[in-house]
């Protein structure tokens, strides 16, 4: 039912969860191999990235929907589900046990927005949240909301911030924030998600009104943003992405801010 591919390491963990006697845990692959009418033990192919066996049923149940590849980069989940997960993570949460441990704890909480998903799908969401959505990060061997970690580490937030985060106050500050974001998202950031991502990843608040603009896109027509960042349209003009311009063409002042952003992120990575 959880749809996690039954590689030996995962099966072993499940046996331990169920307090299976140690002799069985040590020899479970051999025990499954002794029942070829029920189980198929698939050994790793030569040269594969894993050295683990995988254990399948010879005949899968009719109701089975297939295995989830929890390492797949594809994101089939609804944006509304991601939005609810981001809201849930907007607080002091800490998860042990890696992505499986976090997924298991999320399932145990019976969160309404995850009720239609299997444990394997939630594991996949956790992996995407780490690698692609950057909602969570490993910090001191635990998984934590990234905004919590960055708020603790960011020099600009060292004196404490309110729930919304410290507001971005001028163009230099905004350039620094955008540079830091694009270091994490070199493929670009969707304009419609920029405010939310800045809040969750850097604990900062961006308001175009602070720059006398009524729309966010107007802000990028002002200097130095216009000469520093590129706006690209995709999906027949339905999506606008903010991407980094050519650093060689930056003004000397903006180059210094860019260097500061790279230095700040390097320090954050060293600590985490």
């Amino acid at each position: 039912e959880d749809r996690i591919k039954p590689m030996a390491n995962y099966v072993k963990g499940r046996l331990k969860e169920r307090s299976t006697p140690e002799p069985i845990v040590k020899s479970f692959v051999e025990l499954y191999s002794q029942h070829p009418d029920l189980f198929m033990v698939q050994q790793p192919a030569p040269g594969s990235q894993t050295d683990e066996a995988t254990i399948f049923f010879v005949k899968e149940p009719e109701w089975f929907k297939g295995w989830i590849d929890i390492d797949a980069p594809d994101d089939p989940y609804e944006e509304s589900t991601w939005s609810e997960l981001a809201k849930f993570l907007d607080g002091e949460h800490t998860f042990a046990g890696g992505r499986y441990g976090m997924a298991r704890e999320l399932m145990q909480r019976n969160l309404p927005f995850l009720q239609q998903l299997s444990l394997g799908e939630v594991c996949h969401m956790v992996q995407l949240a780490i690698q692609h959505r950057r909602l969570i990060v490993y910090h001191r061997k635990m998984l934590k909301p990234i905004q919590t970690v960055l708020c603790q580490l960011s020099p600009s937030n060292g004196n404490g911030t309110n729930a919304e985060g410290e507001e971005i106050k001028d163009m230099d500050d905004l350039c620094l924030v955008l540079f830091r974001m694009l270091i994490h998202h070199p493929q670009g950031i969707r304009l419609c998600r920029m405010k939310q991502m800045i809040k969750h990843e850097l604990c900062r608040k961006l308001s175009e009104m602070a720059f006398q603009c009524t729309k966010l896109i107007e802000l990028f027509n002002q200097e130095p943003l216009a000469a520093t960042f590129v706006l690209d349209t995709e999906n027949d003009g339905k999506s606008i992405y903010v991407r980094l311009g050519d650093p060689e063409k930056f003004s000397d002042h903006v180059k210094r801010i860019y260097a500061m952003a790279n230095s700040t992120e390097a320090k954050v990575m060293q600590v985490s």
Side-chain angles (χ1 to χ4, degrees):
E1 292 181 359
D2 59 42
R3 302 179 65 191
I4 296 177
K5 192 173 181 180
M7 298 176 69
N9 192 46
Y10 293 134
V11 175
K12 184 177 183 179
R14 288 303 185 83
L15 291 172
K16 287 184 175 181
E17 284 178 14
R18 288 160 172 74
S19 302
T20 304
E22 189 62 26
I24 294 177
V25 173
K26 288 183 177 180
S27 60
F28 70 94
V29 175
E30 291 78 7
L31 291 173
Y32 281 116
S33 300
Q34 292 172 13
H35 300 278
D37 55 324
L38 297 175
F39 305 105
M40 177 178 63
V41 178
Q42 186 179 87
Q43 297 296 335
S48 65
Q49 294 182 344
T50 178
D51 58 357
E52 293 183 63
T54 309
I55 301 155
F56 299 102
F57 278 116
V58 170
K59 184 179 180 181
E60 293 176 344
E62 293 182 359
W63 47 262
F64 182 59
K65 297 180 180 179
W67 306 110
I68 298 293
D69 181 358
I70 60 178
D71 293 307
D74 302 328
D75 184 349
Y77 308 104
E78 297 287 343
E79 283 298 324
S80 58
T81 305
W82 283 114
S83 178
E84 289 299 320
L85 179 60
K87 289 179 184 176
F88 171 78
L89 292 172
D90 194 8
E92 295 291 333
H93 295 285
T94 300
F95 302 94
R99 58 189 181 181
Y100 172 75
M102 177 174 174
R104 191 161 174 259
E105 182 172 337
L106 291 174
M107 294 291 281
Q108 290 172 343
R109 289 173 178 261
N110 294 317
L111 299 169
F113 59 91
L114 298 178
Q115 285 184 350
Q116 301 303 312
L117 301 180
S118 66
L119 179 61
E121 288 170 310
V122 177
C123 270
H124 186 209
M125 284 194 73
V126 170
Q127 179 65 15
L128 292 171
I130 297 168
Q131 284 199 333
H132 298 283
R133 297 275 179 160
R134 292 192 59 81
L135 295 175
I136 51 179
V137 66
Y138 280 103
H139 183 237
R140 296 175 182 172
K141 299 183 180 180
M142 306 287 281
L143 278 171
K144 302 177 183 179
I146 193 168
Q147 70 271 17
T148 300
V149 176
L150 290 177
C151 277
Q152 294 170 351
L153 300 175
S154 175
S156 62
N157 292 287
N159 296 323
T161 61
N162 57 31
E164 288 293 319
E166 181 183 346
E167 187 165 348
I168 297 170
K169 53 191 177 298
D170 55 41
M171 280 295 184
D172 285 359
D173 194 14
L174 178 55
C175 283
L176 180 63
V177 168
L178 292 174
F179 284 144
R180 291 184 65 189
M181 292 294 296
L182 287 168
I183 289 170
H184 293 299
H185 305 277
Q187 76 279 8
I189 300 171
R190 285 182 67 176
L191 189 66
C192 64
R193 296 193 64 232
M194 178 170 286
K195 287 184 178 180
Q196 182 184 17
M197 291 175 70
I198 288 173
K199 176 187 174 184
H200 284 294
E201 296 191 23
L202 297 182
C203 289
R204 302 300 302 275
K205 179 182 178 182
L206 172 59
S207 171
E208 59 269 34
M209 298 296 290
F211 297 88
Q212 290 76 51
C213 295
T214 57
K215 295 181 180 179
L216 194 56
I217 194 169
E218 296 175 1
L219 189 53
F220 285 88
N221 293 326
Q222 296 188 17
E223 296 296 350
L225 300 191
T228 305
F229 303 97
V230 177
L231 296 183
D232 289 331
T233 57
E234 296 185 5
N235 301 325
D236 296 324
K238 295 179 181 177
S239 300
I240 300 175
Y241 282 79
V242 178
R243 296 190 168 102
L244 188 67
D246 183 357
E248 293 297 321
K249 296 180 180 179
F250 293 170
S251 69
D252 290 342
H253 180 67
V254 171
K255 283 181 179 179
R256 286 193 290 271
I257 299 173
Y258 185 51
M260 188 186 306
N262 280 281
S263 175
T264 300
E265 286 304 312
K267 291 177 181 177
V268 170
M269 291 302 295
Q270 286 176 357
V271 175
S272 59

